[in-house]
């Protein structure tokens, strides 16, 4: 299959380019397109065969649900009979935007789209190309991230082309995305509602809208492979580079010291080592490849650059990657959730203590 790579300006959209993409969607085909979070791989959400093509193109397990992208609030009523007051409050606050809600699905929504679940995940993207494609096609779009399953999500169209060229008919290149991590997912079928995936919309923001506490899935910062996934990213290893990735947590100077020691060990065996560091500590490392993810004070930049850096490590052909921890107050949980998934939950905790004789030990 030949993949058309179409550059389209999100600020001055050429209608004929969007129409060509919409025609593919209507015919049951796939189109990769930008959203404000990551690039999505879209198909008609109500067409079972189109949803199956998404799974095939990505190599995605068929029990991993897809998120349905809509263009207006009334579309939600086409997907569920239960548009609660909670759902309306949240939609008013966060749509269009990086927020997904899970609701009970109508019979018309195929199980191929929902991963066999009786619930459906829905969001309204905040991007002119995404919204334009939904409107022009007249279809709600089932759209997971436009990458091979398990690989880092694409934040640029070139990432999509690298993964899916020859597998899909069209990629719309609308430039680099703005946020860089996937939407927050809130399950409204639970009582109280439960966050299944953290994102740019935080727990505190949701609670401010609802006026009460919401819960968080126990596996957010851990792993339970036996659990049937109710939302994307819950069960399988995600966002992963080719090289082994290990997170190292602790005081900054201790982390630098430990990673340098690990680097020396790996290099002695001929291994090529990469390090993902904050701007503040990058000069302290002796690895083969050291990439700064940005200043720790700029959470938005860290989120926006994360997947691109993981892909850059693949390009540098490293054998092992050590990454600092980037937990922080606002969206740090979302960033660490992605890093933990990418690392397969390999975390090294460095804690130095002083005994009574003031000699440090680890």
């Amino acid at each position: 299959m030949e993949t058309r790579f179409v550059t389209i300006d999100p600020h001055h959209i050429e209608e004929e380019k969007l129409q060509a993409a919409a025609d593919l969607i209507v015919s049951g085909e796939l189109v990769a397109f930008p959203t404000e979070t990551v690039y999505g791989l879209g198909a008609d959400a109500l067409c079972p065969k189109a949803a199956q093509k998404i799974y095939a193109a990505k190599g995605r397990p068929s029990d991993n649900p897809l998120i349905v992208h809509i263009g207006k609030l009334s579309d939600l009523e086409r997907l569920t009979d239960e548009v609660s007051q909670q759902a309306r409050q949240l939609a008013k606050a966060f749509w269009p935007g990086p927020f997904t809600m899970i609701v009970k699905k109508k019979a018309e929504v195929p199980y191929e789209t929902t991963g066999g679940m009786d619930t459906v995940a829905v969001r309204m993207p905040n991007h002119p190309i995404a919204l334009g494609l939904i409107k022009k096609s007249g279809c709600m779009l089932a759209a997971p991230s436009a990458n091979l399953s398990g690989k880092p999500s694409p934040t640029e169209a070139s990432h999509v082309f690298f993964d899916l060229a020859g597998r899909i008919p069209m990629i719309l290149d609308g430039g680099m995305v703005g946020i860089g991590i996937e939407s927050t997912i809130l399950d409204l079928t639970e009582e109280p509602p439960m966050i299944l995936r953290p994102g740019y919309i935080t727990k505190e923001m949701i609670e401010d809208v609802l006026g009460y506490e919401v819960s968080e899935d126990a596996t957010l910062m851990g792993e339970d492979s036996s659990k049937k996934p109710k939302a994307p990213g819950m069960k399988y290893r995600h966002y992963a580079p080719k090289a082994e990735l290990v997170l190292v947590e602790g005081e900054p100077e201790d982390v630098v010291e430990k990673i340098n020691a690990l680097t020396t060990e790996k290099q002695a065996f001929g291994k090529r080592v990469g390090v993902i560091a904050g701007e503040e500590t990058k000069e302290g490392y002796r690895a083969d490849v050291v990439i700064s993810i940005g200043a720790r004070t700029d959470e938005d930049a860290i989120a926006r650059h994360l997947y691109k850096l993981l892909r850059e490590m693949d390009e540098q052909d490293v054998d092992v990657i050590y990454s600092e921890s980037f937990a922080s107050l606002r969206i740090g949980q979302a960033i660490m959730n992605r890093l933990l998934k990418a690392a397969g939950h390999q975390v090294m905790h460095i804690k130095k203590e002083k005994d009574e004789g003031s000699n440090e030990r680890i």
Side-chain angles (χ1 to χ4, degrees):
M1 178 188 296
E2 180 182 357
T3 299
R4 290 182 59 194
F5 192 90
V6 179
T7 301
I8 184 167
D9 185 345
H11 305 293
H12 300 92
I13 295 176
E14 298 169 80
E15 292 300 319
E16 65 273 16
K17 292 181 178 180
L18 200 62
Q19 185 64 59
D23 290 344
L24 283 170
I25 295 293
V26 171
S27 70
E29 287 296 339
L30 312 182
V31 175
F33 61 94
T35 76
E36 77 280 23
T37 56
V38 299
Y39 271 75
L41 181 59
D44 182 352
L46 299 185
C47 175
K49 290 184 178 179
Q52 289 173 337
K53 288 182 179 180
I54 292 177
Y55 288 103
K58 285 175 59 70
R60 181 185 178 99
S62 60
D63 65 344
N64 201 1
L66 307 176
I67 293 176
V68 177
H69 292 59
I70 64 175
K72 53 186 183 298
L73 184 58
S74 59
D75 287 341
L76 185 59
E77 297 173 357
R78 297 172 60 191
L79 299 170
T80 181
D81 290 317
E82 302 176 14
V83 183
S84 65
Q85 181 61 29
Q86 293 171 317
R88 295 185 187 279
Q89 287 177 293
L90 292 164
K92 182 178 180 180
F94 302 129
W95 281 357
F99 177 76
T100 296
M101 62 178 77
I102 292 180
V103 294
K104 293 289 186 182
K105 82 174 189 72
K106 278 187 174 181
E108 292 86 346
V109 182
Y111 284 113
E112 287 82 356
T113 294
T114 66
M117 302 292 292
D118 289 319
T119 56
V120 60
V122 190
R123 92 174 184 99
M124 187 188 298
N126 188 17
H127 195 287
I129 294 174
L131 291 171
L133 184 58
I134 293 168
K135 182 177 180 180
K136 192 167 284 290
S137 68
C139 298
M140 298 176 288
L141 301 182
S145 55
N147 57 299
L148 287 176
S149 186
K151 304 303 289 183
S153 298
T155 54
E156 299 178 4
S158 60
H159 301 160
V160 183
F161 190 82
F162 183 84
D163 280 6
L164 299 180
R167 291 171 171 259
I168 62 175
M170 182 179 286
I171 299 169
L172 294 178
D173 178 5
M176 186 174 182
V177 303
I179 293 177
I181 56 174
E182 297 83 355
S183 61
T184 303
I185 298 178
L186 183 71
D187 186 357
L188 289 179
T189 69
E190 297 284 344
E191 187 59 47
M194 178 182 291
I195 295 174
L196 301 185
R197 184 175 72 188
Y200 195 83
I201 303 300
T202 66
K203 181 175 186 286
E204 291 74 21
M205 294 166 69
I206 294 169
E207 290 172 345
D208 283 346
V209 171
L210 295 178
Y212 55 83
E213 287 190 9
V214 298
S215 62
E216 294 178 290
D217 185 85
T219 66
L220 282 186
M221 308 305 282
E223 185 171 25
D224 181 4
S225 60
S226 65
K227 185 173 183 178
K228 184 175 176 62
K230 204 170 186 179
M234 289 187 68
K235 178 177 179 182
Y236 300 97
R237 189 183 182 210
H238 275 61
Y239 327 119
K242 291 185 293 186
E244 177 187 18
L245 173 63
V246 180
L247 303 184
V248 184
E249 295 186 330
E251 292 298 320
E253 63 273 17
D254 299 335
V255 169
V256 171
E257 180 183 342
K258 184 62 177 179
I259 289 178
N260 280 335
L262 292 167
T263 295
T264 299
E265 292 175 9
K266 293 293 184 181
Q267 289 173 334
F269 287 95
K271 300 295 185 181
R272 185 168 166 83
V273 180
V275 171
I276 297 174
E279 187 67 21
E280 300 84 352
T281 52
K282 67 176 184 179
E283 299 300 334
Y285 290 105
R286 301 191 296 268
D288 300 282
V289 180
V290 180
I291 302 180
S292 169
I293 199 170
R296 289 181 173 275
T297 54
D298 191 348
E299 291 179 287
D300 291 340
I302 290 174
R304 190 164 57 250
H305 295 151
L306 175 60
Y307 294 141
K308 183 177 182 179
L309 294 195
L310 293 176
R311 286 179 176 268
E312 286 181 8
M313 284 296 184
D314 281 348
E315 293 170 6
Q316 293 288 340
D317 202 26
V318 298
D319 299 297
V320 62
I321 305 167
Y322 296 108
S323 175
E324 297 176 354
S325 169
F326 297 98
S328 53
L329 293 177
R330 186 166 58 87
I331 57 173
Q333 184 191 31
I335 294 167
M336 289 305 297
N337 170 267
R338 283 17 174 229
L339 273 172
L340 283 166
K341 287 283 187 180
H345 297 271
Q346 292 190 84
V347 184
M348 188 175 295
H349 302 278
I350 308 302
K351 185 177 182 181
K352 281 193 172 183
E353 299 175 352
K354 290 186 177 181
D355 61 21
E356 293 180 358
S358 295
N359 295 316
E360 287 189 347
R361 63 179 184 272
I362 297 181

